[in-house]
Amino acid sequence: MLYSTHHNKNTNEDPKTSVVFENLLLFPDNIFWEILKDSAANKNVLPEDAGLLLDRFEFWPRWDSCSSYNTGNSNYVEPDIFFRFEKVDVIVEAKYSDISGQYREEWE
């Protein structure tokens, strides 16, 4: 929970997200990618090989909401984690439950 504590994200799913991904980052890049890909609902559209995980990963990055995409947010957009691999970028929006907590507009 190092990242969630550092970012003062100690409610809901954030500590669990932190613990899971902090530990996954300890695996070699190819194993980490396999686990990440296999857990995705849309795994068939993801590349077999993402390449190396670059030094670019961020927990709860705050991105400017002003872009060509209408996000509906006036201040910022904050995914849970961003990973940059050699061949693909991955945005993670983790939810506490498979049953509730996610809505289509947030993904869009």
Side-chain angles (χ1 to χ4, degrees):
M1 291 189 344
L2 297 173
Y3 285 97
S4 65
T5 301
H6 176 73
H7 287 85
N8 294 316
K9 298 281 192 175
N10 297 314
T11 61
N12 300 323
E13 72 273 358
D14 295 332
K16 288 182 179 183
T17 301
S18 183
V19 166
V20 167
F21 284 96
E22 286 170 19
N23 285 291
L24 286 174
L25 285 164
L26 298 173
F27 283 104
D29 294 349
N30 62 324
I31 302 297
F32 172 54
W33 175 248
E34 285 299 315
I35 294 169
L36 191 62
K37 187 178 91 147
D38 286 346
S39 68
N42 59 346
K43 63 182 127 216
N44 56 339
V45 300
L46 298 174
E48 283 299 314
D49 176 24
L52 295 175
L53 177 62
L54 304 178
D55 290 336
R56 179 90 162 89
F57 69 87
E58 244 182 300
F59 283 79
W60 303 285
R62 286 194 172 194
W63 295 337
D64 186 359
S65 65
C66 299
S67 70
S68 57
Y69 300 103
N70 181 10
T71 64
N73 293 331
S74 57
N75 298 322
Y76 59 88
V77 176
E78 186 181 80
D80 289 319
I81 311 169
F82 171 75
F83 295 107
R84 175 153 286 161
F85 288 87
E86 285 178 312
K87 300 177 183 177
V88 66
D89 292 341
V90 177
I91 299 170
V92 174
E93 182 59 40
K95 291 299 168 199
Y96 189 73
S97 168
D98 288 342
I99 308 286
S100 64
Q102 186 64 58
Y103 51 94
R104 184 172 189 83
E105 292 80 15
E106 187 171 11
W107 280 109
E108 291 173 355

